[in-house]
Amino acid sequence: MKTKTLKSVTAVLGVLLSLNAFAYDVEIDGIYYNLIKKVKQAEVTSGDSEYTGEVTIPASFEYDGVTYSVTSIGVSAFKARINNHQVCSSLTSITIPNSVTSISDYAFGYCSGLTSITIPNSVTSISKSAFSGCSGLTSITIPNSVTSISDYAFSGCSGLTSITIPNSVTSISDYAFGYCSGLTSITIPNSVTSISKSAFSGCSGLTSITIPNSVTSISDYAFNKCSGLTSITIPNSVTSISDYAFSGCSGLTSITIPNSVTSISKYAFSGCSGLTSITLPNSVTSIGGSAFSGCSGLTSITIPNSVTSIGYEAFSGCKNMEGLYCYAEKVPSTSAEAFKDAYIEYATLYVPAASLEDYKSTAPWSGFGTIVALEGDAPETPKCETPTIAYDNGKLAFSCATEGAEFVSEITDEDIKKHYDSKVELKAAYQISVYATATGYDNSETATATLCWIDTDPKTEDITDKMAEVAAYPVLIQSQDGQISVQGVADKAKVEVYTIGGVEAGSGIATNGTVTINTSMNSGEIAIVKIGGKSVKVVVK
């Protein structure tokens, strides 16, 4: 085993070394380490020479009679200082052991010769710029142990063609995949709630992207300059489209904006020259400055009645506009430059008949060559059907009559929380809520249910340890239009419903495990459902 330690001779020598090498504690078999002696752990770090070829990091090594576990890869670990510049061009492959739990900032930054890497399941986070500039990297496996992908983690990995993000990841940080120009497709898991600033900016090869309903915000520049992107569906969970979110997506020919979106920020779709038409949903109240500027392919624009303001140069440069359909009965507050260089003098403006004269006398609307009254009311967006909830063989199942519907559910358990009393009453019940969402539809009404477990009679026969075996079976309780339905009860079991004040509101006998009880209770009232010795509170709908 080859071992070398760094000795500090003089302060002057230390200064000279800082210009030519990084400080380290020990070098063993060509790998440099910093030692954390108190806990017998080691961190891979940079050293006197550049790492080259295939490098295998051991899970542990022995030094001075002590065994050290390799637990981390340090900041800029694989960069060497050559001619006072940090470089990493000769490393071709790396094997990381399961003992490693963290990969620090810039650990493999600009290792341009690296073609593939497998991150072990022991790693929980990928730090800032950990693999930035790894232009030769063609594939990467991110394990389910990783919960966050930090800023610039894979930025500039131009050779990367595809990436699978595991369901453990909850956030994709700023520039995480920025300028990965070779990336053609990516699937974002349902665990991710936000797409941060410039997360996929400059991914010019990206042709498709799936954004799940878990995502509530698309931040500034998120898909800026993704020129290969041809279409995108924004889920109903998103409420706003931030600054420059899709700017420069010149290949984008269609976009579906859901009814959850209330504002379109400045430059959101600027430079999307491939867009030919856009219909904004009735939820949008404001259109930011330059939101659609430079969308030279736009021929038709539909603005709903909900819009009250349109910002500076919002539609500037939309020079092929033929018709703008504005359903706003009150003329929106509009910048004088909203339609700059859009040649509106050759286009037709369609407005509500009752507001025709207002538009004709208000700039810049008055600048349209033709202003005519709209025929009929504004198109209404259909609503998803309310989903149904079922429970079978340990799994909840949601269904909806609307074709292509997806489901957004929330399940809470009253038992799972902190308690401060000396005695805790366990409810053993899940509260379930779910709504359906689909492209081109408004979100459905929310369906709710309570899933609880009802004890059967104790089993005493064949029990030798004097402990009674208690079985429990699941029961699903739902309410709709004043009715209480119970599924999963024993056949011929009696189910009773009471008000919170103890007045009986109805009862029924189960047939084939199901019973429906009509009550005169109002929506929002609390019903007490009694099944055998079990009482469950349910909100009437």
Side-chain angles (χ1 to χ4, degrees):
M1 178 184 288
K2 177 186 174 184
T3 302
K4 181 173 65 177
T5 59
L6 179 68
K7 302 296 183 180
S8 177
V9 180
T10 64
V12 174
L13 180 58
V15 172
L16 291 174
L17 283 171
S18 69
L19 296 176
N20 297 286
F22 292 117
Y24 60 90
D25 291 331
V26 63
E27 180 249 320
I28 298 175
D29 294 334
I31 300 177
Y32 301 92
Y33 301 98
N34 286 323
L35 304 180
I36 311 170
K37 294 182 178 180
K38 287 183 178 180
V39 289
K40 299 179 183 178
Q41 292 178 0
E43 174 189 76
V44 177
T45 188
S46 53
D48 296 331
S49 58
E50 184 182 0
Y51 289 100
T52 62
E54 300 177 2
V55 173
T56 299
I57 301 172
S60 63
F61 63 86
E62 187 175 322
Y63 174 68
D64 272 355
V66 178
T67 299
Y68 289 89
S69 176
V70 181
T71 58
S72 63
I73 299 173
V75 175
S76 301
F78 285 84
K79 286 184 179 180
R81 188 180 292 278
I82 298 176
N83 296 327
N84 209 29
H85 292 284
Q86 292 180 7
V87 295
C88 176
S89 58
S90 301
L91 182 69
T92 57
S93 73
I94 184 80
T95 301
I96 303 172
N98 277 305
S99 57
V100 170
T101 58
S102 65
I103 299 174
S104 301
D105 297 355
Y106 300 94
F108 296 94
Y110 296 93
C111 291
S112 55
L114 198 60
T115 57
S116 66
I117 193 164
T118 299
I119 301 171
N121 277 304
S122 50
V123 173
T124 57
S125 65
I126 300 172
S127 296
K128 181 179 179 179
S129 300
F131 297 94
S132 62
C134 292
S135 55
L137 200 62
T138 57
S139 67
I140 187 100
T141 301
I142 302 174
N144 277 305
S145 55
V146 171
T147 58
S148 64
I149 300 174
S150 299
D151 297 351
Y152 299 89
F154 297 97
S155 66
C157 293
S158 55
L160 203 60
T161 56
S162 66
I163 188 86
T164 299
I165 301 174
N167 280 309
S168 54
V169 172
T170 57
S171 64
I172 301 173
S173 298
D174 296 355
Y175 290 94
F177 296 94
Y179 295 92
C180 291
S181 55
L183 203 60
T184 57
S185 67
I186 193 159
T187 299
I188 300 171
N190 280 308
S191 53
V192 172
T193 57
S194 64
I195 300 173
S196 296
K197 181 179 178 180
S198 298
F200 298 96
S201 180
C203 292
S204 55
L206 196 63
T207 57
S208 66
I209 186 85
T210 301
I211 302 176
N213 279 305
S214 56
V215 171
T216 57
S217 64
I218 299 175
S219 299
D220 298 352
Y221 298 90
F223 297 96
N224 172 50
K225 296 181 180 178
C226 291
S227 55
L229 203 59
T230 56
S231 66
I232 194 159
T233 299
I234 299 171
N236 279 289
S237 50
V238 172
T239 57
S240 65
I241 300 172
S242 298
D243 298 353
Y244 297 89
F246 297 94
S247 64
C249 293
S250 55
L252 201 62
T253 57
S254 67
I255 185 104
T256 300
I257 301 174
N259 274 283
S260 55
V261 171
T262 58
S263 64
I264 297 174
S265 298
K266 63 184 180 182
Y267 293 94
F269 296 96
S270 64
C272 292
S273 54
L275 273 180
T276 56
S277 66
I278 189 80
T279 298
L280 302 179
N282 285 314
S283 54
V284 172
T285 59
S286 64
I287 301 171
S290 298
F292 295 94
S293 63
C295 292
S296 55
L298 271 181
T299 58
S300 175
I301 301 167
T302 300
I303 297 174
N305 183 42
S306 54
V307 170
T308 59
S309 66
I310 298 175
Y312 180 77
E313 295 190 1
F315 296 97
S316 68
C318 296
K319 56 186 179 183
N320 287 305
M321 187 193 308
E322 296 175 1
L324 191 153
Y325 299 80
C326 185
Y327 287 88
E329 294 177 359
K330 182 180 179 181
V331 180
S333 170
T334 314
S335 163
E337 303 293 326
F339 303 105
K340 180 182 177 181
D341 297 329
Y343 302 122
I344 60 173
E345 62 269 28
Y346 305 110
T348 300
L349 173 64
Y350 300 86
V351 297
S355 309
L356 187 62
E357 295 306 317
D358 291 338
Y359 279 93
K360 285 183 176 181
S361 60
T362 305
W365 306 93
S366 56
F368 278 83
T370 306
I371 305 176
V372 298
L374 283 161
E375 294 182 4
D377 297 326
E380 289 189 6
T381 306
K383 198 169 192 174
C384 276
E385 294 291 329
T386 303
T388 58
I389 305 172
Y391 180 82
D392 182 47
N393 197 27
K395 294 181 179 179
L396 282 169
F398 307 124
S399 59
C400 176
T402 303
E403 187 176 353
E406 296 181 354
F407 304 96
V408 181
S409 61
E410 183 176 354
I411 302 170
T412 58
D413 185 348
E414 192 174 338
D415 292 339
I416 303 176
K417 62 181 182 181
K418 285 187 177 180
H419 299 276
Y420 299 94
D421 298 329
S422 59
K423 292 183 179 179
V424 176
E425 181 182 354
L426 298 179
K427 306 293 184 183
Y430 289 118
Q431 302 302 324
I432 303 157
S433 65
V434 59
Y435 66 85
T437 179
T439 301
Y441 291 82
D442 282 346
N443 291 348
S444 74
E445 298 292 337
T446 299
T448 60
T450 299
L451 178 64
C452 58
W453 278 261
I454 306 298
D455 293 342
T456 62
D457 292 333
K459 180 181 177 182
T460 55
E461 58 182 318
D462 300 325
I463 300 294
T464 58
D465 60 0
K466 298 182 181 180
M467 293 290 291
E469 181 182 313
V470 179
Y473 55 91
V475 171
L476 192 70
I477 306 171
Q478 300 180 72
S479 175
Q480 188 68 38
D481 299 326
Q483 289 184 334
I484 304 289
S485 65
V486 184
Q487 303 169 39
V489 292
D491 226 19
K492 297 183 180 180
K494 185 177 182 180
V495 178
E496 300 168 292
V497 179
Y498 293 85
T499 67
I500 199 73
V503 178
E504 185 174 345
S507 63
I509 303 296
T511 303
N512 296 324
T514 301
V515 59
T516 299
I517 302 168
N518 291 310
T519 75
S520 58
M521 298 180 69
N522 298 319
S523 178
E525 285 190 76
I526 302 295
I528 308 296
V529 180
K530 289 191 174 182
I531 309 166
K534 180 84 171 182
S535 295
V536 182
K537 290 181 180 179
V538 176
V539 178
V540 177
K541 292 193 68 179

